[in-house]
Amino acid sequence: MSNCLFCKIVSGEISTDFVYKDENIIAFRDINPQAPTHILIIPREHIETLNDIDQSHVELLGAMQLTASYLAKEEGIYEKGFRTVFNCNRDAGQTVFHIHLHLLGGRSMGWPPG
């Protein structure tokens, strides 16, 4: 997708400091962090929303969650606690239409979240 911010990051058109990269997933710090640790975990494949996933994406979504746990350990928030969040569409707070998993931690989280 030529207008997609995250696709431009995946392609290298926009540079960022990656905290994780593999053949299917990249992760980097959110430019507007909502917690001391706020990392975005995104697939290299462009998928606009969670409404666009299907059975072929099960392994990818699982890998994104496993990456979040790995990064939580690396960031030192694994033991105290962390939150992972997918937002789907505007009313849920999705602003970039390329699915992404938020990893948040380093502070107490309230409930309900929004």
Side-chain angles (χ1 to χ4, degrees), residues 47-54 61 86-89 94 99:
I47 305 166
E48 283 197 21
T49 75
L50 289 176
N51 292 335
D52 299 307
I53 63 171
D54 59 34
L61 294 172
F86 278 110
N87 297 321
C88 183
N89 285 324
Q94 185 176 6
I99 65 168

Side-chain angles (χ1 to χ4, degrees), residues 6 41-43 45-53 57 60-61 64 86-87 94 96-101:
F6 289 170
I41 301 161
I42 72 167
E45 175 186 354
H46 180 83
I47 305 166
E48 283 197 21
T49 75
L50 289 176
N51 292 335
D52 299 307
I53 63 171
H57 298 110
L60 175 63
L61 294 172
M64 290 172 73
F86 278 110
N87 297 321
Q94 185 176 6
V96 177
F97 285 83
H98 181 128
I99 65 168
H100 51 286
L101 180 63

Side-chain angles (χ1 to χ4, degrees), residues 29-35 38 40 102 104:
R29 297 192 189 282
D30 195 301
I31 62 169
N32 183 27
Q34 302 301 305
H38 189 169
L40 301 178
H102 296 261
L104 300 138

